Amino acid sequence: MALSVVIPTYNPRRSLADLLDKCMEHAGGIELEFVVVNDGSANDAADQLEECAERFDNLVWTTIENSGAGVARNVGADMARHDVLLFLGDDITPVNDDFFRAHAELHERMPGGGEQFGYAHIPPYTELDWRFFYTANISVKKSVAKSWAKDGFSASFQTYGYEDIEFAYRLFNRSQGLTIIYAPLSVGTHHHKYDVAGFLRRQVSAGNAAREFVRIHPDVAAMVAPEVMTSSTSKTD
């Protein structure tokens, strides 16, 4: 099964060519399309992508005004030509040939749906709910949204945090629901450097995003314990 790998990027701190090289090195025999959306970067991201397009014939890319990762993913999802979308962070690197293969094989076994991601503390192949929908490494059927611009990630979240969880919450509450399956074979490394000030800014951003999530879905506050609502701010790199 072919995958469209949707990668939003904003002022990338690493070489996008190196990322795509690693992805191709660990393609695992899976046909990959890379859809990179430059979210109004102020650095050389567009120049990097122009150079990458000369090397990778399976790359399509575009630049939009800075609108947040959620909007960038919606744009990429609409551009993608394959039926399965794998949302990948630009700071995630595949470490083995099962990285993409695990997604493709699970979607083949579950043609009606299914998403995967990797956290070591979660039991393998267990079904999880919307709180675990993290777009660092997760795949969905393109058809889960009739129109990604209208029904995809909300434009209300333009900084870090909760745009992925809010999207999953809407999917979870649809009539056909949402099933998330953890596939432990899709392993990647997360490259994200912080200093104290940067970490604090990220946490404040996540807190503001959590407040926006509850504003949009006030029923969530009564459903979820505070420590769970803040779980996405405690990811380890």
Side-chain angles (χ1 to χ4, degrees), residues 73-124:
R73 291 190 196 102
N74 291 339
V75 171
D78 280 332
M79 292 172 60
R81 63 187 178 90
H82 295 311
D83 293 333
V84 176
L85 310 175
L86 195 163
F87 294 112
L88 185 68
D90 67 357
D91 53 1
I92 302 295
T93 299
V95 299
N96 58 40
D97 289 356
D98 287 318
F99 186 88
F100 297 107
R101 189 185 296 143
H103 287 273
E105 291 180 352
L106 191 52
H107 277 280
E108 284 184 333
R109 294 200 302 270
M110 302 179 64
E115 297 84 30
Q116 311 95 54
F117 64 97
Y119 285 103
H121 64 281
I122 299 173

Side-chain angles (χ1 to χ4, degrees), residues 104-141:
E105 291 180 352
L106 191 52
H107 277 280
E108 284 184 333
R109 294 200 302 270
M110 302 179 64
E115 297 84 30
Q116 311 95 54
F117 64 97
Y119 285 103
H121 64 281
I122 299 173
Y125 300 105
T126 53
E127 294 189 6
L128 305 165
D129 64 30
W130 51 271
R131 292 169 297 175
F132 297 89
F133 190 94
Y134 298 128
T135 44
N137 174 19
I138 196 163
S139 60
V140 300
K141 300 294 192 296

Side-chain angles (χ1 to χ4, degrees), residues 1 59-60 70 106 123 128 143 148 166 190 205 231:
M1 176 175 285
L59 167 67
V60 294
L106 191 52
L128 305 165
S143 59
W148 280 86
E166 192 276 335
H190 190 178
S205 175
S231 63

Side-chain angles (χ1 to χ4, degrees), residues 96-216:
N96 58 40
D97 289 356
D98 287 318
F99 186 88
F100 297 107
R101 189 185 296 143
H103 287 273
E105 291 180 352
L106 191 52
H107 277 280
E108 284 184 333
R109 294 200 302 270
M110 302 179 64
E115 297 84 30
Q116 311 95 54
F117 64 97
Y119 285 103
H121 64 281
I122 299 173
Y125 300 105
T126 53
E127 294 189 6
L128 305 165
D129 64 30
W130 51 271
R131 292 169 297 175
F132 297 89
F133 190 94
Y134 298 128
T135 44
N137 174 19
I138 196 163
S139 60
V140 300
K141 300 294 192 296
K142 185 175 180 178
S143 59
V144 298
K146 292 182 179 179
S147 166
W148 280 86
K150 179 182 178 181
D151 304 317
F153 297 91
S154 172
S156 297
F157 301 86
Q158 297 190 8
T159 57
Y160 169 75
Y162 282 92
E163 81 286 344
D164 44 7
I165 304 300
E166 192 276 335
F167 173 61
Y169 183 69
R170 281 186 278 121
L171 292 182
F172 188 82
N173 285 288
R174 297 188 320 186
S175 59
Q176 61 267 47
L178 167 72
T179 299
I180 301 176
I181 303 295
Y182 166 40
L185 295 178
S186 182
V187 179
T189 56
H190 190 178
H191 304 267
H192 212 130
K193 294 182 179 180
Y194 284 121
D195 55 20
V196 173
F199 177 78
L200 292 176
R201 285 194 299 270
R202 191 173 177 91
Q203 299 303 89
V204 169
S205 175
N208 289 333
R211 181 174 59 186
E212 177 67 7
F213 180 26
V214 173
R215 185 192 69 79
I216 298 172

Side-chain angles (χ1 to χ4, degrees), residues 9-16 38-49 63 90:
T9 189
Y10 175 71
N11 291 345
R13 301 179 182 180
R14 60 184 299 201
S15 166
L16 294 173
N38 175 27
D39 186 25
S41 297
N43 64 4
D44 65 345
D47 292 336
Q48 289 190 53
L49 288 167
T63 293
D90 67 357

